[in-house]
Amino acid sequence: MKYTSELSSGRWIKRYKRFFLDVETNQGPLTVHCPNTGSMKNCGDPGDLVWYSLSDNPKRKLPGTAEVIEQADGHKIGINTHRANKLVAEALTQGLVSELNEYGNWRSEVKVGNSRLDFCGTSEDGAVCFVEVKSLTLHEGDGLGCFPDAVTERGQKHLKELMELVNQGVSAALLFCVQHSAITEARPADHIDPVYGRLLREAVQAGVKVLAYKVDFKTDSSELVSPVPVVLS
């Protein structure tokens, strides 16, 4: 996924009102949009490097959007949650998610019941597979990545919908888009949302595929590149 131009950088000053992030740049302080509704636990601290994109849209209130945090140890975290679906869409189209390569003709935002799931693909014999994407950024140390970083009733609902599809004989998958370079395995965050953890294990037992793929970050692009094991024990 190419950015419209090379990302600019500045030092994290503070995040406030959830969607505002102040950074110190070579031209002075700048407030950029922080497109992340989560807690962003362990994702950054004052002094960390913030990589942000710029827009020339005159209607925008803030000219910049925070994209990636680079921590003091060099690890990078994609904090723009809107990028996860674009990264996965590109990977699915290019056949980079091997577990789902039997499906193609991917459609996005497909209505299922009273809600929408992120993607739906079709195989050559007409079978379909629904995929829901979650951005995983919470690193709890030693390579351990956990989802969610806050209680998510919406995420719980999606797991129930995926299980219902499988019960109806339709293939379904949950794909964690791992946007933290330090993460080497993905787990449910039972210590944060035990209900989600229980439902995730039930989903696996019901036949929902649970996958995790890691993002590689560059200053001009990001790409879903490699699988990460999902550990439920």
Side-chain angles (χ1 to χ4, degrees), residues 76-134:
K76 295 178 179 178
I77 309 147
I79 62 169
N80 186 342
T81 55
H82 302 305
R83 298 293 190 189
N85 280 26
K86 294 180 180 179
L87 289 161
V88 171
E90 191 175 82
L92 290 172
T93 301
Q94 295 176 357
L96 299 178
V97 183
S98 60
E99 297 90 341
L100 301 176
N101 274 353
E102 66 183 281
Y103 303 98
N105 298 316
W106 290 98
R107 295 174 291 140
S108 59
E109 293 294 315
V110 181
K111 189 172 183 180
V112 178
N114 294 321
S115 63
R116 294 180 182 273
L117 293 176
D118 291 322
F119 297 101
C120 179
T122 307
S123 68
E124 290 185 357
D125 61 5
V128 299
C129 180
F130 288 88
V131 179
E132 181 64 19
V133 176
K134 299 297 179 189

Side-chain angles (χ1 to χ4, degrees), residues 14-21 31 33-34 36-38:
K14 66 176 179 179
R15 181 194 185 201
Y16 54 101
K17 296 182 180 178
R18 184 174 291 186
F19 299 112
F20 293 85
L21 183 61
T31 301
H33 176 53
C34 183
N36 194 307
T37 59

Side-chain angles (χ1 to χ4, degrees), residues 40-85:
M40 284 179 55
K41 181 180 178 184
N42 296 349
C43 282
D45 295 295
D48 285 345
L49 201 60
V50 179
W51 293 92
Y52 59 91
S53 57
L54 289 171
S55 171
D56 57 5
N57 183 350
K59 295 182 179 180
R60 281 190 52 144
K61 183 178 293 186
L62 298 174
T65 299
E67 301 283 355
V68 177
I69 303 296
E70 183 173 345
Q71 297 179 314
D73 58 8
H75 283 296
K76 295 178 179 178
I77 309 147
I79 62 169
N80 186 342
T81 55
H82 302 305
R83 298 293 190 189
N85 280 26

Side-chain angles (χ1 to χ4, degrees), residues 149-164:
D149 63 2
V151 174
T152 172
E153 293 183 1
R154 185 168 180 266
Q156 296 168 15
K157 176 175 174 254
H158 286 151
L159 286 174
K160 293 175 183 177
E161 289 170 339
L162 294 174
M163 282 189 277
E164 181 58 30

Side-chain angles (χ1 to χ4, degrees), residues 133-147:
V133 176
K134 299 297 179 189
S135 178
L136 193 163
T137 59
L138 175 57
H139 179 231
E140 295 284 37
D142 297 325
L144 175 60
C146 295
F147 184 90

